[in-house]
Amino acid sequence: MLSNASILITGGTGSFGHTFVPMTLERFNPRRLVILSRDEMKQWEMAKTYGSDKRVRFLIGDVRDKARLDRALDGIEYVVHAAATKIVPTAEYDPFECIKTNVIGAMNVIDACIDRKVRRVVALSTDKASSPLNLYGASKLASDKLFTASNSYVGGRDTRFAVVRYGNVMGSRGSVIPLFLSLAETGELPITDPRMTRFMISLEQAVELVWHAFEDMVGGEIYVKKIPSMKLLDIAEAVAPGAKARYIGIRPGEKLHEQMIGEEDAPYTYEYDSYYKILPAINDWAKDPGRIKDGRKGPPEFVYRSDTNTEWMTREELRAWIDANRHKIGRI
């Protein structure tokens, strides 16, 4: 589907974009891959990787600016919406800015994609959008609802919208692994709570889920990949064996356990071999065979949460992953 296509990724200089761009160039050889973001320095640094590759283009722009989006989307067929204000404490202390990017920005992307007749749009979400406790999660839940409902607004156009939701990305700049690595030699690591658990997903897995969404979507689906969990204490032990734990307490708006599917979503959730799919409750889309396909309906009380997960990553598995990816941990 993406072969010889024209693709744009918002917030493309972030962790996801740094993995999506090279993987997509290699796998699909798109005609054009446009990276839209507002940080010129990150663009400057990222552009060095691609040199004179004519398939890659960088555009300065902000999803808050609908006119800029309209211009950037000229001739674009596929969009990955990765731009967001993501740091939980930042959103708590600067809520207006979070709303401008995560909610109003999502509306701008939707409107511009419909106006420009973009074929398919996949928006990135987060575990924090499920039963949100913090403003970041609430803003991403609002964004998810916008992208889901927007499929009703396209009229006769072929534009379709879907969402991909995933949890803690291993080794990304904002994750705990690079923090623990930087403090390993001190012999002491800050631990928020000994009970805390997190989902574990690699950026490569996240990219592959987006590719699958583009292929599978009818419109309005939320895709959730099946991934393992780990206890925070086990992550710490895997990164710095024998290090002492210094308990610091949970940060404002932070959850003890990650959740990607809540009980309220269970009636609309279907299970597949490697992922779940939450279908829209509106317009009877959750009963649509074209959206369900070969999905299996789960129990009515189903919850997908990191502490009750059936799949767990061991310390040895995480150490092996760190050894294989040490060159890029915390750099993207």
Side-chain angles (χ1 to χ4, degrees):
M1 178 176 281
L2 299 178
S3 297
N4 199 37
S6 184
I7 307 164
L8 180 141
I9 175 170
T10 69
T13 54
S15 298
F16 180 86
H18 271 277
T19 302
F20 175 83
V21 171
M23 286 182 63
T24 301
L25 289 173
E26 181 179 356
R27 170 74 180 273
F28 295 103
N29 188 27
R31 182 173 68 259
R32 182 163 56 122
L33 209 169
V34 180
I35 298 157
L36 178 76
S37 72
R38 63 186 182 182
D39 191 322
E40 60 179 322
M41 184 54 68
K42 288 181 183 177
Q43 286 197 10
W44 176 260
E45 292 297 327
M46 189 174 179
K48 296 176 184 177
T49 305
Y50 301 101
S52 59
D53 192 331
K54 295 182 179 179
R55 297 172 298 173
V56 182
R57 185 179 179 191
F58 291 86
L59 296 179
I60 296 292
D62 195 321
V63 294
R64 300 182 185 189
D65 184 347
K66 186 174 181 294
R68 181 54 171 154
L69 282 171
D70 183 69
R71 180 63 61 195
L73 289 169
D74 186 24
I76 295 294
E77 299 167 276
Y78 298 91
V79 168
V80 179
H81 177 48
T85 296
K86 301 175 182 177
I87 300 175
V88 170
T90 299
E92 295 298 301
Y93 289 107
D94 292 300
F96 283 32
E97 300 306 306
C98 177
I99 294 296
K100 288 175 186 176
T101 298
N102 294 356
V103 179
I104 298 174
M107 294 171 64
N108 289 338
V109 170
I110 291 165
D111 283 337
C113 286
I114 293 174
D115 292 343
R116 282 293 183 174
K117 300 181 180 179
V118 173
R119 291 195 61 217
R120 297 291 183 269
V121 182
V122 172
L124 304 189
S125 186
T126 169
D127 61 278
K128 296 170 184 64
S130 180
S131 304
L133 174 65
N134 50 61
L135 181 67
Y136 168 53
S139 69
K140 292 302 287 184
L141 174 60
S143 174
D144 291 355
K145 295 288 188 180
L146 288 167
F147 278 99
T148 296
S150 62
N151 290 277
S152 298
Y153 299 158
V154 298
R157 297 175 177 83
D158 187 40
T159 305
R160 296 293 182 269
F161 301 88
V163 174
V164 162
R165 180 181 291 172
Y166 53 84
N168 176 58
V169 177
M170 298 188 295
S172 62
R173 277 192 300 255
S175 70
V176 73
I177 292 174
L179 173 63
F180 284 174
L181 283 171
S182 70
L183 298 173
E185 292 186 1
T186 69
E188 183 178 271
L189 300 181
I191 302 294
T192 49
D193 190 293
R195 300 167 295 169
M196 183 172 283
T197 61
R198 287 293 179 260
F199 284 113
M200 307 294 283
I201 187 172
S202 70
L203 283 166
E204 290 79 9
Q205 289 175 309
V207 169
E208 289 168 355
L209 186 60
V210 168
W211 288 348
H212 176 72
F214 276 128
E215 292 283 351
D216 181 81
M217 63 189 287
V218 175
E221 302 92 339
I222 298 176
Y223 295 85
V224 178
K225 183 158 183 67
K226 294 179 180 178
I227 50 178
S229 297
M230 278 195 81
K231 295 179 180 179
L232 186 59
L233 285 175
D234 286 335
I235 297 175
E237 180 64 23
V239 173
K244 180 182 178 182
R246 176 170 55 87
Y247 295 107
I248 60 175
I250 295 178
R251 299 177 299 174
E254 190 173 29
K255 283 185 175 182
L256 193 59
H257 307 292
E258 291 183 330
Q259 177 180 292
M260 288 197 283
I261 302 174
E263 189 173 340
E264 299 80 6
D265 292 321
Y268 315 106
T269 298
Y270 289 83
E271 182 178 3
Y272 304 81
D273 289 343
S274 62
Y275 66 96
Y276 299 99
K277 190 192 298 184
I278 306 171
L279 298 183
I282 60 174
N283 301 326
D284 286 333
W285 287 343
K287 302 177 182 178
D288 175 26
R291 289 178 169 86
I292 297 171
K293 299 181 181 178
D294 60 347
R296 305 178 295 276
K297 192 72 175 292
E301 70 280 1
F302 176 70
V303 171
Y304 191 40
R305 207 170 68 181
S306 59
D307 62 325
T308 56
N309 195 4
T310 58
E311 183 181 357
W312 291 80
M313 178 177 284
T314 65
R315 297 174 183 177
E316 292 73 23
E317 288 171 332
L318 179 58
R319 287 191 191 114
W321 182 90
I322 290 173
D323 290 340
N325 293 275
R326 195 176 294 272
H327 63 287
K328 63 180 180 180
I329 291 174
R331 297 181 182 179
I332 59 173

